[in-house]
Amino acid sequence: MRIAVLSDIHANLPALEAVASDLPPVDEIWVLGDTVGYGPQPNEVIATLQAMGARSVLGNHDGAAIGTVDAAYFNPDARAAIEWTASAIDDNARAYIGTLPEVRRDGVLTAVHGSPRDPIWEYITGPDVAALNFSAFESRLCLFGHTHLPVVYQSIDGQVNAAAGLPGEPVRLGEARALLNPGSVGQPRDGLSDAAYALLDLDAGTDSTFEFRRVRYDIDRTQRLMRDAGLPPRLAERLRYGR
Ligand code: ZN
């Protein structure tokens, strides 16, 4: 079974459309939250995910956009963007976000936005934080986002190893438990501006792989739409640098 894993789309429709056209045939599409916030096209992104049949979880920006997550911890740019988003989203988007679970479990997979022990807020920033989270989910694999950094953490004999997610180098998952982050579709922060996502190939045996992919998209278009919407200029500029 092959699953496309997308996270942190952040209302960036050109990035999502580029990923959608890059996708090989997959059985399922999982989305790890922060579908809206920062970017200029929240309604269009949600309608596209609905048409794709994506299975999503709730991110901190999603909840803040409909008022169920407190935006008090957001930095000023993020808060300005979330206020714009709250006023821009339509009834369909609001209802869709309202149905999203914080945790999704299915077979060998768990999916969260932040971390298994704190699905909305915790950032898994390194092996030490990852190690504290392996006891917080029961499935073999856990998909997460929130940091916007592609990475795999594997737990082998009580040791947690980290491997940065590089395109063209599928990670063999073997039998080890793992925490998997595909990176961000709509606001990459690993120094590469191309949209990031991943393909999870679940083999019945031990040959499962997690493949990181990058896709060029029309950054100018997203930046223009952000300026037209009056979103903070720094949020548009950072897309160019992937930071
Ligand atoms: Zn995010």
Side-chain angles (χ1 to χ4, degrees):
M1 168 147 112
R2 187 143 69 166
I3 298 172
V5 187
L6 282 55
S7 191
D8 296 274
I9 301 165
H10 282 296
N12 187 339
L13 185 67
L16 176 59
E17 287 179 337
V19 165
S21 16
D22 185 68
L23 275 185
V26 292
D27 300 295
E28 290 178 9
I29 298 170
W30 286 44
V31 175
L32 310 177
D34 278 8
T35 292
V36 303
Y38 294 137
Q41 294 183 286
N43 299 324
E44 294 85 346
V45 161
I46 285 176
T48 302
L49 290 181
Q50 289 172 314
M52 292 166 81
R55 317 175 71 191
S56 303
V57 295
L58 184 79
N60 52 318
H61 285 255
D62 306 318
I66 62 166
T68 59
V69 166
D70 190 353
Y73 302 110
F74 282 41
N75 67 50
D77 281 347
R79 191 159 342 125
I82 223 56
E83 282 164 11
W84 178 89
T85 304
S87 67
I89 53 174
D90 59 21
D91 291 345
N92 174 60
R94 188 177 303 277
Y96 176 82
I97 293 170
T99 65
L100 297 178
E102 291 187 9
V103 183
R104 201 177 266 286
R105 296 184 189 85
D106 191 353
V108 299
L109 285 182
T110 297
V112 294
H113 178 60
S115 78
R117 64 177 187 173
D118 183 354
I120 298 296
W121 286 112
E122 187 176 39
Y123 291 90
I124 301 181
T125 48
D128 47 343
V129 183
L132 296 169
N133 271 285
F134 274 101
S135 59
F137 65 101
E138 286 170 4
S139 57
R140 185 157 65 84
L141 304 174
C142 179
L143 308 169
F144 72 101
H146 197 34
T147 63
H148 298 209
L149 300 172
V151 67
V152 170
Y153 297 106
Q154 285 182 299
S155 175
I156 299 170
D157 297 333
Q159 280 282 93
V160 175
N161 306 322
L166 302 172
E169 295 178 21
V171 177
R172 293 192 159 280
L173 297 176
E175 288 173 321
R177 298 184 75 216
L179 281 153
L180 311 166
N181 189 329
S184 167
V185 171
Q187 195 201 76
R189 293 181 190 165
D190 60 347
L192 303 172
S193 56
D194 294 347
Y197 77 102
L199 289 175
L200 174 61
D201 234 309
L202 281 178
D203 183 82
T206 57
D207 284 338
S208 298
T209 56
F210 198 62
E211 178 188 354
F212 295 95
R213 294 171 72 111
R214 303 304 282 247
V215 194
R216 193 142 296 174
Y217 74 96
D218 191 346
I219 295 176
D220 286 338
R221 178 166 170 72
T222 301
Q223 290 181 320
R224 208 161 42 239
L225 289 165
M226 290 176 77
R227 272 183 232 112
D228 292 350
L231 286 158
R234 201 183 74 86
L235 295 178
E237 284 155 20
R238 69 187 300 177
L239 297 177
R240 174 71 54 208
Y241 307 106
R243 290 284 179 201

